[in-house]
Amino acid sequence: MGMRTTFVVQSFEVHRKKLRPGQRDVAPTESGALKRAEAIAGRQPGSAALRVVADDETGELESVAILGMFGEVPDDFAERMQGS
């Protein structure tokens, strides 16, 4: 059972006057995820960089950490990530 760390960039878009998740992208490093999230927030309402640790075999989540949030992000985004 090996753990794998993945860096994810989650963008957000406005749909019917509400923020909702947009495209999700994988970055090779933590700093790459932060830079990409910041750049995306310049073109879209907002984005977040995440570190996801999961079991390599089963895919079961060990932890999800928010590395940074840029622009507009849903108010309950951090709470939902802690519940993962």
Side-chain angles (χ1 to χ4, degrees):
M1 177 170 108
M3 292 296 175
R4 171 176 280 194
T5 300
T6 306
F7 301 101
V8 178
V9 177
Q10 175 66 63
S11 66
F12 296 95
E13 57 190 28
V14 176
H15 181 72
R16 295 185 182 180
K17 298 183 183 181
K18 289 187 177 182
L19 281 173
R20 71 174 190 182
Q23 186 175 350
R24 191 175 307 149
D25 196 12
V26 176
T29 64
E30 182 174 326
S31 63
L34 287 164
K35 288 177 185 177
R36 192 173 298 173
E38 190 170 15
I40 288 171
R43 299 186 311 269
Q44 295 186 344
S47 63
L50 309 168
R51 178 178 48 238
V52 178
V53 179
D55 184 298
D56 201 24
E57 293 177 16
T58 66
E60 185 176 332
L61 286 178
E62 174 76 17
S63 66
V64 178
I66 299 172
L67 302 172
M69 297 188 293
F70 304 91
E72 294 181 54
V73 176
D75 294 335
D76 63 344
F77 180 69
E79 294 171 16
R80 289 190 320 213
M81 290 299 101
Q82 289 176 352
S84 295

